[in-house]
């Protein structure tokens, strides 16, 4: 079978190898064998593949994997042969409060991932996929979809009529837009591209702002709410954007920090954060139970994820280069 792994970690994307290897073993009692058909690219995957996040030579890439069950172990009751399934980001975090603070057990980073055609793993490492979704669509759930769901629903307790601010038009933010609109919320979204903002409007965004043209976009978003401030912010930037997000948020509102695209450290206006009594929460994706609940919700929601472009598995390095360009809107996937 075909798989993509890190060759020389020092070479970044040029050091990725596409290898033909023997298929995995038949599943043991509590395992399943999955024929994988798709994965989706995330900033975290890019960090591993490019060498920014150090992983050893031979590591099989990609945290997201969707496909069909080909065989089940004798003790597996959750799946049967032919079921469409999608992987979870933290295989060991099944339910309850967070249990891990790093990526040591995340597929495609601390352990081997899903850039391969078949995998045999414990059944608990997967959930079912949404009904009638393609494998490429389902592959976007593991990281981006789950992050948006946890930020808005699990941590934010999103309700109809709430106001939401999303930063940028990457996978998590566009998923957040679609989830929020499906749940009856009003959404503001930022971008440096007017063309992408028009695409966001077509998906239902109620208010848009170009942060390159409006450096005080936090105040602008607050004014959109009549000066009240938004209820929820899904914060992907980190130190360079957090101050504006605080300005945009209402007293007693929620900011969920899900990314640090602008760096891992910097100044935070702590006095304003305190005066506004904002709840600032850091999250990394979610648990198996969160994903089960998300998939159940998706079965009732009338949308499918926004996929920008698909690449073949053996063109994974090219897919990452496209992600690196920042031209995409929504998700980039690989299909195999």
């Amino acid at each position: 079978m075909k798989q993509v792994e890190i060759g020389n970690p020092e070479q970044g994307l040029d050091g990725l190898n596409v290898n033909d290897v023997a298929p995995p073993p038949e599943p043991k009692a509590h395992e399943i064998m999955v024929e994988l058909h798709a994965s989706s690219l995330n900033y975290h995957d890019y960090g591993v593949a490019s060498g920014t996040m150090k992983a050893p030579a031979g590591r099989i890439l990609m945290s997201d994997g969707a496909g069909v069950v080909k065989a089940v172990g004798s003790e597996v009751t959750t799946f049967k042969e032919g079921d469409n399934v999608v992987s979870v980001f933290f295989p060991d975090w099944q339910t309850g409060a967070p249990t891990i603070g790093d990526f040591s057990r995340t597929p495609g980073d601390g352990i081997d991932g899903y850039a391969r055609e078949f995998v045999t793993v414990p059944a608990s490492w997967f959930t079912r996929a949404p009904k009638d979704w393609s494998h490429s669509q389902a592959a976007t759930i593991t990281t981006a979809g789950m992050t948006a769901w946890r930020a808005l629903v699990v941590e934010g307790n999103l309700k109809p009529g709430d106001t939401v601010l999303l930063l940028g038009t990457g996978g998590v933010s566009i998923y957040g837009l679609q989830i929020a609109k499906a749940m009856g919320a009003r959404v503001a979204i930022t971008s440096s591209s007017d063309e992408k903002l028009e695409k966001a409007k077509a998906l239902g965004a109620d208010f848009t702002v170009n942060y390159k043209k409006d450096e005080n976009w936090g105040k602008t978003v607050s004014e959109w709410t009549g000066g009240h401030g938004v209820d929820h912010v899904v914060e992907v930037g980190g130190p360079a954007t957090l101050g504006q997000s605080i300005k945009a948020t209402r007293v007693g509102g929620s900011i969920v920090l899900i990314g640090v695209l602008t760096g891992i450290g910097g100044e935070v206006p702590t006095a304003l954060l305190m005066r506004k009594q904002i709840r600032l929460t850091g999250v990394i994706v979610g648990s198996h139970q969160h994903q089960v609940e998300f998939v159940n919700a998706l079965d009732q929601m009338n949308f499918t994820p926004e996929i920008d472009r698909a690449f073949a598995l053996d063109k994974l390095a090219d897919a990452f280069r496209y992600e690196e360009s920042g031209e995409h809107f929504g998700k980039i996937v690989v299909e195999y």
Side-chain angles (χ1 to χ4, degrees):
M1 69 172 189
K2 188 184 297 182
Q3 67 184 32
V4 183
E5 58 192 50
I6 296 173
N8 183 345
E10 301 302 319
Q11 292 181 314
L13 298 181
D14 293 329
L16 302 187
N17 289 335
V18 181
N19 292 328
D20 284 318
V21 300
E26 290 296 311
K28 297 177 182 177
H30 295 280
E31 294 180 332
I32 58 174
M33 178 187 288
V34 178
E35 182 179 10
L36 294 159
H37 288 284
S39 184
S40 75
L41 277 64
N42 303 285
Y43 184 73
H44 177 256
D45 297 302
Y46 172 75
V48 176
S50 65
T52 304
M53 302 179 70
K54 302 299 181 183
R59 173 68 71 237
I60 303 171
L61 296 169
M62 307 307 286
S63 60
D64 302 1
V68 59
V69 176
K70 300 302 288 184
V72 299
S74 60
E75 299 296 321
V76 174
T77 59
T78 49
F79 302 117
K80 64 183 185 302
E81 185 177 341
D83 284 348
N84 288 345
V85 293
V86 58
S87 66
V88 297
F89 190 85
F90 289 120
D92 305 323
W93 181 16
Q94 291 293 297
T95 190
T99 58
I100 189 167
D102 57 30
F103 302 110
S104 60
R105 292 286 296 164
T106 295
D109 189 343
I111 58 177
D112 284 334
Y114 299 110
R116 47 180 156 171
E117 294 177 313
F118 289 88
V119 67
T120 298
V121 293
S124 60
W125 289 27
F126 280 77
T127 71
R128 71 174 182 87
K131 298 173 183 176
D132 301 322
W133 278 32
S134 70
H135 295 304
S136 292
Q137 291 168 337
T140 68
I141 289 173
T142 300
T143 303
M146 266 301 306
T147 300
W149 173 260
R150 185 175 171 206
L152 289 172
V153 179
V154 178
E155 303 295 338
N157 192 29
L158 181 71
K159 304 182 297 301
D162 281 358
T163 50
V164 175
L165 170 60
L166 303 165
L167 308 187
T169 54
V172 175
S173 294
I174 296 304
Y175 241 121
L177 169 60
Q178 294 180 289
I179 292 169
K181 295 306 297 182
M183 296 184 67
R186 298 170 64 227
V187 178
I189 193 165
T190 72
S191 176
S192 62
S193 165
D194 290 336
E195 180 183 355
K196 290 182 178 181
L197 290 177
E198 288 301 315
K199 291 181 179 180
K201 287 180 182 177
L203 289 176
D206 299 279
F207 183 75
T208 62
V209 58
N210 187 317
Y211 64 82
K212 288 289 187 182
K213 297 178 180 179
D214 184 355
E215 294 183 356
N216 201 14
W217 49 266
K219 180 181 178 182
T220 301
V221 171
S222 180
E223 290 172 349
W224 167 66
T225 67
H228 180 68
V230 297
D231 300 298
H232 311 272
V233 179
V234 181
E235 169 59 68
V236 303
T241 55
L242 186 54
Q244 291 294 322
S245 292
I246 291 170
K247 289 181 181 180
T249 306
R250 69 168 172 85
V251 173
S254 168
I255 299 176
V256 179
L257 180 66
I258 63 93
V260 286
L261 297 178
T262 64
I264 61 174
E267 293 186 8
V268 176
T270 51
L272 181 60
L273 181 74
M274 180 182 65
R275 289 200 305 271
K276 296 184 82 170
Q277 301 176 71
I278 292 168
R279 180 164 58 97
L280 176 60
T281 308
V283 306
I284 303 175
V285 196
S287 69
H288 183 280
Q289 182 60 35
H290 291 150
Q291 185 160 307
V292 168
E293 293 166 355
F294 181 38
V295 171
N296 289 339
L298 288 171
D299 284 340
Q300 308 303 317
M301 292 178 173
N302 188 28
F303 77 85
T304 53
E306 191 72 13
I307 294 177
D308 181 282
R309 188 171 170 185
F311 290 78
L313 178 60
D314 57 5
K315 299 297 183 183
L316 181 57
D318 290 337
F320 280 122
R321 292 186 182 100
Y322 181 60
E323 181 183 32
E324 192 176 52
S325 75
E327 295 178 4
H328 60 289
F329 179 91
K331 293 297 292 178
I332 304 165
V333 300
V334 287
E335 299 175 339
Y336 39 105

